[in-house]
């Protein structure tokens, strides 16, 4: 099958390269000309492990290209995926403007074609595909849904940082379908991937994505709330969560505590689900708390810092890691942003370090100092806060912290907890959320 993909971001580009590798000639489309030019020159617009090699392989075989021409891409394909962004508005509600405009453009091209399948892969609130996408496609194409075009909702679960791997090894494929013909066609496209495939209606598929992300975010905030109590009660939360996670009904994933979750999905999706609940007259007790705990976590790291550096005015603090997680240059909703905002507002001179995300971070904080080498970042600092578990930060040894003015580590993700004893022996203060202060 020939595939076109609207929206060449993390999801669209990785999906496009995956489908090309599965043997489907694929064309990725975006409205950003610079992005498309750079992809066609072999320069990927963001970092993902394995993506460049995959691009070389599939474009070399003539199975993949990128363009800004939406109309002819739809005309030349059998199926179009919609992978445009679905950001939150200022009040946290989902903004569907990109979806609507993409769908209208697809519909206009569909006027000139026989049966075409449209697949919504962007995360959209339940009801969107049925109530917005299907009518807009019908209206702009002048065709009947079901007979003359098919519609599926196929949520994406890839994780940035391991997106290429995840795309080839999904835990499940969720196919929301308007009618079975559309769902069958989409399932065929994924032939070669080994995992359970669940068919359901459009609304249910949309809800699977929100419920999954909200549950993962809830696990993190739960672990963080317990961790905040453990810090005060001199209990090591890692041991607690190890004990908790071994319960087969619970599972150990997403029980690590720290500075909170970021990224382009969890904060936005939890917030959208919360607004959906409110819109239906329900009170989102649980989800409101999930977000409130998450907002609190950077402040918890600062509280720990202030146990050692009472007045931050004029001090130099090194922040190691800016991306929302390792192996990506994505800083959307990174917890380093509220953390550094707070530090700057208290008159701190920030030395910030990241191997990949500096360019993106400079658009938010143009005036702080940037480094790519963690050791250099630490030199002369009054304290440091570890934010992202990059390999070169995990590899830091106790001696690397001795070049600081005062060797104080606030570990936002418990990433160097195994070296606690060595820190203690060298007189380095090591504090982390959910770690007994008495053990530092
Ligand atoms: P992104 O912001 O990286 O990319 C979206 C792209 O769509 C941009 O390049 C934009 O220019 C393009 N675009 C907007 N309107 C367009 C149009 N009319 N035609 C063509 N291109 C258009 O977004 P992303 O991170 O890839 O996320 C896309 C969707 O997938 C979102 O709904 C997100 O919630 C969901 N999702 C993201 C992830 C993730 O890890 N990033 C994981 C699962 C699901």
């Amino acid at each position: 099958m020939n595939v076109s993909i609207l929206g060449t971001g993390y999801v669209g580009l990785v999906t496009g390269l995956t489908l090309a590798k599965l043997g489907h000639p694929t064309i990725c489309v975006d409205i950003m000309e610079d992005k498309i030019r750079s992809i066609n020159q072999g320069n990927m617009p963001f970092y993902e492990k394995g993506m460049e090699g995959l691009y070389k392989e599939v474009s070399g075989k003539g199975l993949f290209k990128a363009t800004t021409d939406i109309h002819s891409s739809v005309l030349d394909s059998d199926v179009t995926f919609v992978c445009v962004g679905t950001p939150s508005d200022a009040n946290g509600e989902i903004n569907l403007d990109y979806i609507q405009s993409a769908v209208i453009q697809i519909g206009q091209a569909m006027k000139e074609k026989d049966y075409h399948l449209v697949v919504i892969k962007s995360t959209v609130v339940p009801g969107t595909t049925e109530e917005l996408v299907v009518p807009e496609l019908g209206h702009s194409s002048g065709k009947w849904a079901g007979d003359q075009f098919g519609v599926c909702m196929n949520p994406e679960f890839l994780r940035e940082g391991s997106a290429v791997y995840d795309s080839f090894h999904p835990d499940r494929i969720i196919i929301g379908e308007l009618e079975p013909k559309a769902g069958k066609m989409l399932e065929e496209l994924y032939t070669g991937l080994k995992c359970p495939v669940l068919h359901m209606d459009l609304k249910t598929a949309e809800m699977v994505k929100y419920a999954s992300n909200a549950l993962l975010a809830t696990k993190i905030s739960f672990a963080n709330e317990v961790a905040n109590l453990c810090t005060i009660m001199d209990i090591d939360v890692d041991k607690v969560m190890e004990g908790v996670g071994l319960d087969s009904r619970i599972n150990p994933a997403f029980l690590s505590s720290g500075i909170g979750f970021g990224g382009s999905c969890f904060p936005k999706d939890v917030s959208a689900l919360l607004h959906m609940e409110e819109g239906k007259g329900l009170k989102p007790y649980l989800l409101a708390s999930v977000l409130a705990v998450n907002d609190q976590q950077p402040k918890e790291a600062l509280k720990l810092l202030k146990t050692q550096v009472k007045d931050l005015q004029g001090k130099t603090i090194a922040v190691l890691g800016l991306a929302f997680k390792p192996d990506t240059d994505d800083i959307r909703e990174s917890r380093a942003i509220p953390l550094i905002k707070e530090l700057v507002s208290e008159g701190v001179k920030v030395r910030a370090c990241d191997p990949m995300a500096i360019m993106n971070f400079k658009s938010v904080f143009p005036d702080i100092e940037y480094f790519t080498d963690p050791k250099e970042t630490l030199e002369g600092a009054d304290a440091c806060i570890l934010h992202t578990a990059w390999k070169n930060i995990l590899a830091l040894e106790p001696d690397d912290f001795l070049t600081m003015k005062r060797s104080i580590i606030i570990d936002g993700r418990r990433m160097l907890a195994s070296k606690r004893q060595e820190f203690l022996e060298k007189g380095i203060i090591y504090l982390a959320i959910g770690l007994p202060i008495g053990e530092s």
Side-chain angles (χ1 to χ4, degrees):
M1 266 178 263
N2 288 329
V3 177
S4 55
I5 296 192
L6 259 65
T8 308
Y10 288 83
V11 169
L13 185 51
V14 173
T15 303
L17 294 169
T18 304
L19 291 171
K21 170 82 179 173
L22 291 176
H24 307 290
T26 299
I27 183 147
C28 272
V29 193
D30 207 284
I31 47 178
M32 292 170 73
E33 284 179 17
D34 285 359
K35 195 181 238 187
I36 294 302
R37 197 175 313 117
S38 133
I39 293 172
N40 282 328
Q41 287 164 353
N43 301 318
M44 299 297 102
F46 51 88
Y47 174 77
E48 266 305 325
K49 204 156 101 195
M51 196 165 68
E52 260 186 54
L54 184 57
Y55 168 81
K56 276 189 193 131
E57 183 188 336
V58 292
S59 59
K61 288 182 182 164
L63 284 168
F64 180 89
K65 55 187 175 171
T67 180
T68 53
D69 186 347
I70 298 179
H71 196 82
S72 57
S73 310
V74 175
L75 285 185
D76 294 344
S77 56
D78 307 298
V79 44
T80 300
F81 281 81
V82 177
C83 300
V84 299
T86 47
S88 301
D89 277 340
N91 63 1
E93 260 177 89
I94 188 169
N95 177 335
L96 294 169
D97 291 353
Y98 295 116
I99 293 279
Q100 186 161 21
S101 118
V103 163
I104 290 173
Q105 292 174 82
I106 297 168
Q108 282 162 352
M110 276 166 36
K111 275 184 192 163
E112 301 166 35
K113 317 195 52 196
D114 291 335
Y115 188 88
H116 192 78
L117 174 63
V118 179
V119 181
I120 304 298
K121 199 172 242 316
S122 299
T123 304
V124 292
V125 292
T128 305
T129 309
E130 212 171 295
E131 290 156 25
L132 175 86
V133 173
V134 174
E136 286 286 13
L137 282 173
H139 185 67
S140 49
S141 66
K143 298 198 169 198
W144 288 106
D147 287 343
Q148 295 173 301
F149 65 89
V151 179
C152 285
M153 199 286 143
N154 174 219
E156 180 53 60
F157 299 98
L158 62 75
R159 298 162 299 175
E160 283 180 31
S162 54
V164 173
Y165 177 88
D166 291 348
S167 203
F168 285 104
H169 304 88
D171 290 331
R172 75 294 210 193
I173 292 172
I174 301 293
I175 297 184
E177 58 201 26
L178 188 62
E179 21 72 65
K181 178 181 171 184
K184 198 163 167 267
M185 192 169 158
L186 180 57
E187 185 169 355
E188 266 173 41
L189 200 66
Y190 286 123
T191 303
L193 300 182
K194 290 187 177 55
C195 68
V197 179
L198 300 186
H199 288 257
M200 55 192 72
D201 64 32
L202 298 166
K203 230 192 234 183
T204 310
E206 289 163 335
M207 188 57 104
V208 170
K209 175 65 187 174
Y210 278 98
S212 302
N213 272 0
L215 180 56
L216 292 172
T218 302
K219 281 185 92 174
I220 298 172
S221 278
F222 171 79
N224 279 336
E225 186 158 310
V226 175
N228 295 344
L229 184 60
C230 285
T231 312
I232 298 170
M233 294 185 70
D234 273 349
I235 297 169
D236 182 345
V237 75
D238 272 1
K239 289 202 178 96
V240 174
M241 289 305 156
E242 190 185 353
V244 171
L246 283 171
D247 186 324
S248 59
R249 295 166 301 176
I250 296 175
N251 168 307
F254 283 76
L255 288 178
S256 307
S257 55
I259 207 161
F261 55 78
S264 67
C265 291
F266 285 2
K268 154 178 97 63
D269 294 349
V270 174
S271 185
L273 192 55
L274 179 149
H275 277 88
M276 224 177 341
E277 278 191 63
E278 285 179 338
K280 300 284 178 204
L282 296 174
K283 279 210 173 357
Y285 299 106
L286 180 66
L287 298 184
S289 309
V290 168
L291 292 179
V293 173
N294 202 49
D295 283 346
Q296 179 57 26
Q297 292 314 103
K299 297 184 188 109
E300 291 296 318
L302 286 179
K303 265 200 227 162
L304 285 178
L305 175 64
K306 285 181 180 174
T307 62
Q308 305 303 314
V309 186
K310 300 273 178 287
D311 181 10
L312 289 174
Q313 174 68 38
K315 299 290 188 306
T316 300
I317 306 294
V319 177
L320 304 190
L322 305 173
F324 86 91
K325 68 177 190 178
D327 298 322
T328 177
D329 57 3
D330 196 344
I331 61 155
R332 288 178 286 183
E333 298 288 337
S334 165
R335 298 290 82 194
I337 297 174
L339 179 74
I340 291 179
K341 242 183 214 155
E342 198 73 34
L343 287 171
V344 170
S345 77
E346 298 223 19
V348 164
K349 197 172 151 239
V350 175
R351 288 162 74 86
C353 167
D354 197 282
M356 298 262 172
I358 290 177
M359 224 167 66
N360 290 337
F361 220 77
K362 271 188 179 164
S363 62
V364 189
F365 295 100
D367 299 326
I368 60 173
E369 256 190 298
Y370 288 98
F371 303 84
T372 49
D373 178 12
K375 293 181 194 168
E376 195 188 341
T377 320
L378 291 170
E379 284 168 18
D382 290 284
C384 71
I385 303 178
L386 313 187
H387 174 269
T388 319
W390 283 102
K391 270 197 195 106
N392 62 353
I393 298 175
L394 292 173
L396 288 171
E397 290 300 332
D399 284 350
D400 298 325
F401 293 90
L402 297 176
T403 60
M404 299 171 71
K405 201 183 287 170
R406 293 181 60 200
S407 301
I408 301 169
I409 305 170
I410 311 298
D411 190 341
R413 309 249 178 230
R414 309 277 301 242
M415 53 187 110
L416 298 184
S418 63
K419 296 175 185 169
R420 229 146 70 197
Q421 189 54 35
E422 289 170 74
F423 288 136
L424 204 62
E425 283 161 15
K426 298 212 179 241
I428 298 167
I429 294 172
Y430 177 85
L431 299 175
I433 294 166
L435 183 73
I437 292 187
E439 283 189 25
S440 63

